[in-house]
Amino acid sequence: MIQNYKEWILKTIEDTWNLFRKKFTALWDKHKDGSGEAYLPAIYNNPELQLLVQKKYFEDLLHDTVGFGSAKMIRRIVGVAHVEDLESIADPSKRATCEKRALYLAKMLLKERRKFHDISEIVSAVRNVQ
C-alpha cells in the first residue's frame, strides 16, 4: 500500500509539472505577438531560437522549484514547523530513519538540482533513494 501511494504521489508530481509546462508553453506561443516585455519578437523571431529559449526557461524554473522545495523539506524536518506525516510516527527509531532519508533526499536535490534537465529525471532520482 505504501509503495502504491508513493508511486501515485510521484506520478502526480510528474503529471502536474508536465501539464503546467504544456499549458504555459501554449500560452507563450499564443501570445508571442510582442505584448510582453521579456521575450520580444524582434529578438526571438526564429522558431528554433524560441524553442531553445523555452527549454532554457523551463530548465531554470525546474532548478529553482527543486531548490525551493528541497529547502522547504529541510526546514519542515529540522525547523520549528514540523510535518505531521513524520511527527505522527510513534516509533522514534522508525521516525528517525524516515527523517534521515527525507533529509538525504532534500540535500541531494538541493545540491545537485542543476544536473536534472526534466521532471522525469527528478522523479527517477526520488525512486532510487534508499
Side-chain angles (χ1 to χ4, degrees):
M1 182 168 140
I2 292 174
Q3 188 62 26
N4 290 343
Y5 183 64
K6 177 182 175 182
E7 286 304 317
W8 176 80
I9 289 173
L10 292 174
K11 183 177 180 340
T12 301
I13 290 169
E14 194 167 0
D15 290 349
T16 301
W17 179 264
N18 288 331
L19 182 61
F20 165 72
R21 182 178 180 153
K22 180 180 175 183
K23 287 187 173 195
F24 192 99
T25 303
L27 287 170
W28 186 340
D29 291 341
K30 180 180 177 183
H31 297 285
K32 63 182 174 187
D33 60 356
S35 58
E37 297 176 2
Y39 299 99
L40 300 173
I43 299 169
Y44 300 100
N45 57 3
N46 178 324
E48 288 177 16
L49 181 59
Q50 178 89 5
L51 288 173
L52 285 173
V53 167
Q54 287 175 345
K55 182 178 187 284
K56 174 72 171 134
Y57 177 85
F58 275 99
E59 195 169 284
D60 289 347
L61 184 60
L62 182 68
H63 295 159
D64 290 348
T65 302
V66 171
F68 179 82
S70 299
K72 188 148 184 99
M73 284 172 65
I74 293 167
R75 182 186 70 84
R76 296 294 300 264
I77 295 169
V78 299
V80 176
H82 292 264
V83 256
E84 185 60 27
D85 295 5
L86 294 172
E87 290 292 309
S88 66
I89 301 172
D91 180 354
S93 176
K94 189 179 278 190
R95 183 172 59 243
T97 299
C98 292
E99 289 175 343
K100 183 179 176 182
R101 287 179 63 207
L103 286 170
Y104 171 80
L105 173 64
K107 180 180 160 187
M108 183 275 294
L109 288 174
L110 185 61
K111 291 172 69 175
E112 298 179 18
R113 68 187 181 276
R114 298 206 186 280
K115 83 172 192 176
F116 299 106
H117 302 289
D118 66 34
I119 193 70
S120 64
E121 293 175 352
I122 293 169
V123 168
S124 179
V126 171
R127 277 191 181 103
N128 293 326
V129 169
Q130 298 301 321

